[in-house]
Amino acid sequence: MTSFTFRKASSSDLDGVLSVQAVVFPAFQEAKATFAERLRLYPDGFFVVEEGGDIKGYLVSYPVRRPEPPPLDTLIGAISPDCDAYYVHDLSLLPAMRGRGAAVAMIEAMTGVARNAGFTAMVLTAVGGADIFWRRFGFATVSVPALEARLLAYGADAVYMERSF
Ligand SMILES: CC(C)(COP(=O)(O)OP(=O)(O)OC[C@H]1O[C@@H](n2cnc3c(N)ncnc32)[C@H](O)[C@@H]1OP(=O)(O)O)[C@@H](O)C(=O)NCCC(=O)NCCS
């Protein structure tokens, strides 16, 4: 089996990122402009997995102010100067890339970025039952009534999670 590499994303990767999202999250497609904005605002937190010259997965992450993960497919304009947590916006791998260590590799790299930036908390919205996966990395579900309506946009099983590190 060919081995994969992972690295920081560049703007020329965005079409590949969109094609992965179309397969993994067809119901939650975001615009290219949304990904491009996150890449521009926080390039250190945007990783891609590449194999055979193709993008086969990605991780998008950046600082936020709790408890405000931005709504789906929304431009945020800027990274607020008073961010108090590090947000995992999206982690997606094509099915053929799963179970091969790519997710762990990107999560470890992202955690290093967050630590180096001085953060001690990480937050995310887990969808489709993925909270089981995130618990392995120390994330726990947190109930935030103010976020309930926003979570519903991700499906009835979406949960908000936090991790201290
Ligand atoms: C989540 C994801 C990136 C993990 O990558 P991976 O390479 O499969 O991760 P690992 O091999 O390290 O671990 C996979 C484990 O997590 C579990 N898992 C992953 N997603 C899950 C889900 N949605 N529901 C339940 N379990 C899930 C797998 O069943 C597997 O468990 P096992 O080891 O007991 O078999 C990948 O499965 C994926 O892209 N899933 C679809 C997108 C997604 O759900 N992203 C997270 C959104 S919050």
Side-chain angles (χ1 to χ4, degrees):
M1 189 181 288
T2 321
S3 63
F4 67 85
T5 56
F6 79 98
R7 56 173 172 78
K8 297 284 172 66
S10 71
S11 54
S12 61
D13 296 320
L14 292 179
D15 286 333
V17 167
L18 287 172
S19 65
V20 172
Q21 191 180 52
V23 171
V24 177
F25 286 122
F28 303 122
Q29 277 270 270
E30 296 184 283
K32 187 173 182 179
T34 301
F35 285 108
E37 185 203 52
R38 301 313 196 269
L39 179 62
R40 180 173 57 78
L41 292 178
Y42 210 75
D44 281 352
F46 200 143
F47 298 88
V48 289
V49 175
E50 192 176 33
E51 187 178 50
D54 295 324
I55 301 301
K56 297 193 173 176
Y58 62 87
L59 186 156
V60 182
S61 62
Y62 44 89
V64 291
R65 178 152 183 85
R66 276 178 291 181
E68 294 178 5
L72 191 65
D73 199 17
T74 305
L75 297 178
I76 56 175
I79 303 286
S80 166
D82 59 357
C83 290
D84 62 356
Y86 195 83
Y87 178 54
V88 189
H89 176 115
D90 191 359
L91 168 64
S92 297
L93 295 176
L94 289 179
M97 189 50 63
R98 295 177 195 167
R100 296 172 57 188
V104 174
M106 288 195 288
I107 290 167
E108 285 177 354
M110 168 189 71
T111 302
V113 169
R115 274 208 182 94
N116 286 341
F119 292 101
T120 57
M122 199 171 273
V123 301
L124 58 81
T125 302
V127 302
D131 50 307
I132 294 168
F133 171 78
W134 290 113
R135 281 180 207 287
R136 294 182 179 183
F137 298 91
F139 284 88
T141 305
V142 178
S143 173
V144 181
L147 285 179
E148 275 173 17
R150 192 170 290 182
L151 284 177
L152 273 178
Y154 292 89
D157 57 359
V159 290
Y160 174 70
M161 305 183 85
E162 290 194 8
R163 163 199 182 194
S164 297
F165 58 97

